[in-house]
Amino acid sequence: MVVHRGSCEFVWSSALSSMSSECTWSVLVMLCFILATGAHGGAVCTVRSSKGEEVLLGSSFTFSCIFNKQCTKLIFRNGTQIKYIKKNISKEVSVNIENITEFNTLSCRCEGNPEPCGIDIKPGYPPDIPQNLTCVQNMNSHNVSCIWTTGRSTIIDTTCQLRVHGDLHLGYRSIMNSTGFCHSTFPIKSSVMSQLVVWLNVSNTLGIKTSGPHTINLINIVKPSMPEILNVSCSSRWCSLHIDNHSMNLVEIQYSAVNVIWDTFQNNDKSRLNISSLHPDTMYNFQIRRKINHTVGLWSDWSQPKRKKTKEEAPDKALDVWYLQELKPPESKSKCFRIFWKELNISDAKGKIQRYNISVLEQKGKSNSIIAVPPSRNQSICCYNCSVSVSAVNSEGQSPVKIIQLRLPGLHTGLLSHKPLNNHSIALFWPKFDIAGTEYVVHWYPVGNIEGIQWIRVVDTTAHITGLQPQECYQGAVTALRSSGPKMATIKGISSWQSAPEQGPDPELHWKKTESSGVAWSEIPQKKRRGCLKKYTVYLMDNLKGDIHNFSVDHPKRQYVISGLSPRQCYNLWVTAWTDAGEGPRGSVLPFCAPLDSEKMLSLVILAGGAVLLACLILLCICQFSSVHRRFLCCCQCLLPIIPDPANSKCAKTYADDQSEIKFYLDQWDSSVNEEPDNVEVEEVPYPSICTYIKSFSQESSSSDATQFTRITDIMEDYISTHGAISGGEEEDEYEKGERSLDEFEFFPSTHSPFLEPLVLTGGKLTLDVVKIDCSEFLDCT
């Protein structure tokens, strides 16, 4: 910190004015001595510039430091050391600074001492000659304000001064601003003055410039006060401005619709200003300014803007209407169309459109009215041989009616072609459909968004389609409006600029077999297509071999049948999409395996089993017929093994000898006896010996006659019948004996089946001749 000797003088003078005692005087003298001593001892060095603190921009100068003691000397520029000098006899150190272009801080200090001494260097320019003097005297004011320029900005502090001739004031000073303008305001001493003479002066440390004298006529610098628009009243085509009272003879009006260039005109009316040729239902801004007359004085400032909207009018322009055929509902017998119309612009609508009136007139005279409300700009109509009229309605009325005949266009085989002009437009070409002068309607819309349809009308075979979005796919058509009926040629795949798709489709398996599978994939969203899709590529990778096969599918098909698969083999499948710009990324990967052969065999077994079951059911139903039943039973009996004649066996002879005895015991049997007979043990001889049936008759027994009778009776019942008593008659005995003989062959079909009739054996007594099987009938069965 550098303390100057003047600080002591300031303290001294302040003390003289406030203190008077001797003690106080002593303290003050000692304080000044301490400050002076400290200031001298604390200053390490002093600095100087060969050209001062403010220098010309781009100039060079010498910076010097004078040290008060011996030390290692350091010099810094903007905090960066630029020179280092060890202790030497010389106390002054200098450095050359070249081509200075910005503010710099130069400093010096001793090594080890943090207190520096330094100077700030400010580069700049000297002022130019003052020029472009402009002075204004506000009406009813006695002050004049002037402004002038000094050329380029001087960068450094520059003083401006204005001197008035005849004014005792030495000059009116001001500081030039950063843009190079000077401003000064001074009073007019006399009200009878008609003109002023002034001189201008501009100066700074690098130079001084003067201009003048400048003569100013006061009548020419009088500026009226800012006017005010009190009220605005409007119709559909004009507006009237009501302004405040004034004495000016000239008024300038400017007006404009929102975001439109201002229109300006002048008027001599002092209280009411009319503006015509305006547009209906349009918001306008109005401003005015005033002047004494055409030749005297200055224009006032513009008034604050006043906003007003004109009234509506009925639209005077018919709508532009077009139509396309669309699919009719199944229950409708008429043809269906979709009607489109363009929205009227602001100048044509002449107000806010509240609705659209649509009338459908059929050939039979039947009419139908439909009302559509904005923002809707289309309507579906089903009719036969009809015409449609469309009009727009606002609060003031209805537009002229546009009538269009709905006719199905014939198809034209001419080829349409196109080429991009830029990223937002294309040129469309087509051959001539008809005679020269035919009007063509060219329509187009984004694929999948018919609501975005646009169309233009041309009389040439070329059309420029504008307003297209890059990486968007369009389709459209050209229709020739002929008296004999419209004719149409369609075009697809229109794009101003496209790239490869951003996303791939996701596949899914519809069905699979041992050697083939059907695959389908999803649509790519419109925003991800980045143009018009041309084809798909289906990739199939064999997981075992690693081989990849690909199959091409034209757009818009989205399914494919893959053949030549190997059973039990697993695959990975994915699909990519293409535009004219290239192939997009693949979608999700679909893993799957071809079915095994066993699955096919299982299906065949199931089918065969079902066929056998069906055949059995049919056979059982056929066996319900008696004739079929008898023949079937006959065939089954013929399948029994051949049995030897039992009449030649020993047991048969024994049976014959005892037959009379058996009959005697039977005659002696009294059915009233309640005594239970004893059980008879029968020895079973393995088949095929016939003695199984008769051997029990020859058993020796030491039992009583009653016991013997009971045993024989049980054996007879077991042999002859299991359903009734022996005394049931000869025919019943014969039937039961035959049934028992069949039951002994358990492998044979049972005669108790509900599908077979009972086997009835006729004849007299049960003899061996009866149970003998005659196989000759087997031949008769065949």
Side-chain angles (χ1 to χ4, degrees):
M1 176 179 177
V2 178
V3 181
H4 299 283
R5 190 177 302 275
S7 62
C8 181
E9 295 174 355
F10 171 76
V11 175
W12 181 271
S13 61
S14 299
L16 288 176
S17 62
S18 59
M19 301 180 182
S20 58
S21 64
E22 293 182 358
C23 180
T24 303
W25 281 101
S26 301
V27 173
L28 291 175
V29 171
M30 185 177 294
L31 179 60
C32 289
F33 177 77
I34 293 173
L35 290 175
T37 305
H40 184 271
V44 177
C45 60
T46 57
V47 295
R48 65 185 179 188
S49 169
S50 60
K51 294 184 179 181
E53 294 184 6
E54 294 178 339
V55 300
L56 183 64
L57 189 71
S59 64
S60 302
F61 61 95
T62 300
F63 171 67
S64 302
C65 295
I66 302 173
F67 289 86
N68 297 329
K69 62 179 182 179
Q70 293 293 333
C71 64
T72 299
K73 305 168 183 65
L74 304 175
I75 300 179
F76 296 87
R77 181 177 181 178
N78 295 328
T80 302
Q81 182 178 318
I82 60 174
K83 199 163 188 180
Y84 175 85
I85 301 174
K86 294 184 178 181
K87 291 182 180 181
N88 56 16
I89 300 175
S90 176
K91 293 184 178 181
E92 183 175 351
V93 179
S94 300
V95 62
N96 291 326
I97 305 299
E98 298 180 354
N99 191 26
I100 185 168
T101 58
E102 59 184 5
F103 180 88
N104 275 255
T105 298
L106 301 174
S107 61
C108 303
R109 69 178 177 87
C110 288
E111 188 177 26
N113 189 345
E115 291 296 330
C117 56
I119 188 174
D120 292 330
I121 303 298
K122 300 176 183 178
Y125 297 103
D128 290 335
I129 298 175
Q131 56 187 345
N132 300 328
L133 175 64
T134 302
C135 295
V136 175
Q137 181 188 10
N138 291 323
M139 187 170 286
N140 303 323
S141 173
H142 298 286
N143 291 330
V144 175
S145 296
C146 295
I147 187 172
W148 66 94
T149 64
T150 60
R152 62 187 175 184
S153 174
T154 59
I155 303 176
I156 60 177
D157 293 340
T158 301
T159 302
C160 305
Q161 186 180 40
L162 182 145
R163 290 189 301 111
V164 181
H165 177 70
D167 195 334
L168 298 178
H169 198 279
L170 296 178
Y172 301 93
R173 294 176 177 271
S174 64
I175 302 298
M176 187 181 69
N177 62 20
S178 59
T179 58
F181 281 87
C182 293
H183 179 272
S184 183
T185 300
F186 56 94
I188 299 175
K189 300 299 182 180
S190 174
S191 60
V192 297
M193 294 179 62
S194 60
Q195 65 180 19
L196 297 173
V197 178
V198 299
W199 284 265
L200 304 176
N201 180 277
V202 182
S203 63
N204 58 25
T205 57
L206 300 179
I208 181 171
K209 293 292 173 61
T210 302
S211 69
H214 302 278
T215 301
I216 302 171
N217 292 322
L218 293 179
I219 190 65
N220 292 332
I221 66 172
V222 175
K223 181 179 180 181
S225 60
M226 185 176 68
E228 180 183 3
I229 301 175
L230 300 178
N231 187 33
V232 180
S233 58
C234 295
S235 68
S236 60
R237 294 286 182 173
W238 58 268
C239 286
S240 179
L241 278 60
H242 304 271
I243 61 177
D244 58 339
N245 294 324
H246 60 91
S247 59
M248 303 295 104
N249 296 319
L250 185 62
V251 177
E252 188 173 58
I253 305 166
Q254 70 174 7
Y255 64 93
S256 76
V258 178
N259 300 326
V260 180
I261 298 175
W262 291 87
D263 290 325
T264 304
F265 73 97
Q266 295 178 357
N267 193 299
N268 294 326
D269 197 329
K270 294 184 178 182
S271 61
R272 186 169 181 176
L273 306 172
N274 293 326
I275 306 171
S276 59
S277 302
L278 302 179
H279 297 289
D281 191 46
T282 304
M283 182 67 70
Y284 285 93
N285 290 320
F286 302 95
Q287 285 183 302
I288 64 170
R289 63 179 181 175
R290 293 190 287 234
K291 189 179 180 183
I292 296 176
N293 57 49
H294 287 86
T295 59
V296 175
L298 300 175
W299 284 105
S300 70
D301 293 330
W302 286 104
S303 66
Q304 293 295 326
K306 198 79 170 181
R307 178 173 289 191
K308 189 70 174 181
K309 190 175 186 180
T310 55
K311 294 182 179 180
E312 294 185 356
E313 281 184 1
D316 60 359
K317 184 176 181 180
L319 295 167
D320 188 358
V321 182
W322 188 236
Y323 70 96
L324 293 178
Q325 185 184 8
E326 63 179 9
L327 296 177
K328 64 180 181 179
E331 65 276 5
S332 176
K333 297 182 180 179
S334 304
K335 299 173 183 178
C336 291
F337 304 89
R338 180 173 288 195
I339 311 300
F340 301 91
W341 57 88
K342 290 183 179 180
E343 185 179 9
L344 293 174
N345 57 38
I346 295 176
S347 61
D348 294 333
K350 295 179 171 54
K352 182 179 180 180
I353 301 301
Q354 298 177 347
R355 68 179 185 274
Y356 296 98
N357 289 339
I358 305 170
S359 296
V360 182
L361 180 62
E362 298 191 21
Q363 190 177 25
K364 298 179 181 179
K366 182 181 177 181
S367 63
N368 183 26
S369 297
I370 304 172
I371 295 178
V373 179
S376 174
R377 294 190 296 109
N378 63 84
Q379 180 67 42
S380 294
I381 295 174
C382 292
C383 62
Y384 180 76
N385 197 10
C386 59
S387 60
V388 175
S389 64
V390 186
S391 61
V393 180
N394 64 12
S395 62
E396 296 297 323
Q398 177 177 301
S399 70
V401 174
K402 176 66 176 181
I403 300 176
I404 186 169
Q405 187 78 21
L406 301 183
R407 304 169 69 180
L408 293 178
L411 295 180
H412 185 70
T413 56
L415 180 63
L416 303 183
S417 59
H418 71 280
K419 68 175 182 179
L421 299 177
N422 53 49
N423 288 346
H424 298 279
S425 63
I426 65 165
L428 187 63
F429 310 93
W430 62 90
K432 187 179 296 184
F433 287 14
D434 207 342
I435 61 174
T438 300
E439 183 182 18
Y440 298 94
V441 176
V442 181
H443 75 261
W444 66 94
Y445 56 88
V447 173
N449 181 23
I450 197 172
E451 301 286 342
I453 186 172
Q454 299 183 62
W455 65 92
I456 56 175
R457 299 175 185 269
V458 297
V459 293
D460 199 359
T461 57
T462 302
H464 287 181
I465 298 176
T466 60
L468 303 181
Q469 295 299 319
Q471 298 183 344
E472 185 79 51
C473 187
Y474 294 84
Q475 65 184 58
V478 176
T479 304
L481 302 181
R482 308 184 309 166
S483 58
S484 59
K487 216 167 189 181
M488 176 188 290
T490 61
I491 183 172
K492 296 182 179 180
I494 302 174
S495 182
S496 60
W497 182 81
Q498 54 187 333
S499 60
E502 181 181 351
Q503 178 180 317
D506 297 324
E508 60 180 2
L509 206 61
H510 274 198
W511 54 267
K512 60 180 180 178
K513 296 181 180 179
T514 303
E515 297 182 354
S516 62
S517 294
V519 63
W521 50 90
S522 62
E523 283 273 21
I524 300 177
Q526 291 291 340
K527 293 183 178 180
K528 303 291 186 180
R529 296 185 181 185
R530 293 186 173 182
C532 299
L533 297 183
K534 294 298 181 182
K535 66 175 182 178
Y536 298 99
T537 300
V538 181
Y539 290 90
L540 182 70
M541 184 179 74
D542 190 324
N543 290 349
L544 181 62
K545 300 179 181 178
D547 297 338
I548 298 179
H549 304 277
N550 61 80
F551 314 94
S552 181
V553 181
D554 291 336
H555 180 77
K557 291 183 179 180
R558 291 187 296 110
Q559 58 184 7
Y560 187 75
V561 176
I562 302 174
S563 58
L565 302 179
S566 300
R568 301 181 60 184
Q569 182 59 44
C570 292
Y571 301 88
N572 282 340
L573 183 144
W574 64 89
V575 183
T576 63
W578 292 75
T579 65
D580 286 338
E583 183 180 18
R586 70 181 185 183
S588 59
V589 178
L590 175 66
F592 71 96
C593 297
L596 301 176
D597 288 340
S598 58
E599 296 180 13
K600 183 176 179 180
M601 294 299 298
L602 179 61
S603 62
L604 293 177
V605 169
I606 293 175
L607 291 176
V612 171
L613 179 61
L614 181 62
C616 291
L617 292 176
I618 294 173
L619 183 61
L620 290 177
C621 292
I622 293 175
C623 288
Q624 292 297 320
F625 299 100
S626 59
S627 60
V628 176
H629 167 231
R630 285 193 300 269
R631 285 185 174 273
F632 181 74
L633 183 60
C634 179
C635 292
C636 291
Q637 289 176 344
C638 293
L639 295 176
L640 288 174
I642 299 176
I643 301 174
D645 188 357
N648 299 325
S649 64
K650 178 181 178 180
C651 54
K653 293 178 180 181
T654 306
Y655 168 75
D657 294 338
D658 295 338
Q659 189 174 14
S660 58
E661 185 179 355
I662 293 173
K663 188 176 185 302
F664 170 78
Y665 285 122
L666 291 174
D667 292 339
Q668 297 294 325
W669 172 254
D670 186 0
S671 61
S672 62
V673 178
N674 295 326
E675 184 179 355
E676 287 289 336
D678 295 336
N679 292 332
V680 179
E681 295 182 1
V682 179
E683 180 183 358
E684 183 176 350
V685 179
Y687 177 84
S689 174
I690 196 60
C691 295
T692 304
Y693 307 105
I694 306 173
K695 183 179 181 180
S696 58
F697 291 108
S698 60
Q699 290 178 348
E700 296 294 336
S701 176
S702 60
S703 303
S704 62
D705 293 339
T707 302
Q708 182 67 23
F709 173 75
T710 301
R711 181 179 300 169
I712 295 173
T713 302
D714 290 339
I715 294 173
M716 287 295 296
E717 288 179 347
D718 182 64
Y719 175 76
I720 298 173
S721 176
T722 59
H723 302 284
I726 297 176
S727 60
E730 290 181 356
E731 290 182 1
E732 184 177 2
D733 291 344
E734 290 292 332
Y735 171 78
E736 291 177 354
K737 289 176 184 177
E739 186 179 72
R740 175 60 181 172
S741 64
L742 288 175
D743 288 340
E744 292 299 328
F745 300 95
E746 295 178 353
F747 66 90
F748 207 72
S750 173
T751 58
H752 298 288
S753 171
F755 300 99
L756 301 177
E757 295 179 359
L759 180 62
V760 178
L761 301 177
T762 60
K765 297 181 181 180
L766 178 63
T767 64
L768 293 177
D769 293 331
V770 175
V771 299
K772 182 178 178 182
I773 297 175
D774 188 1
C775 291
S776 63
E777 295 181 0
F778 178 79
L779 298 176
D780 296 337
C781 295
T782 59

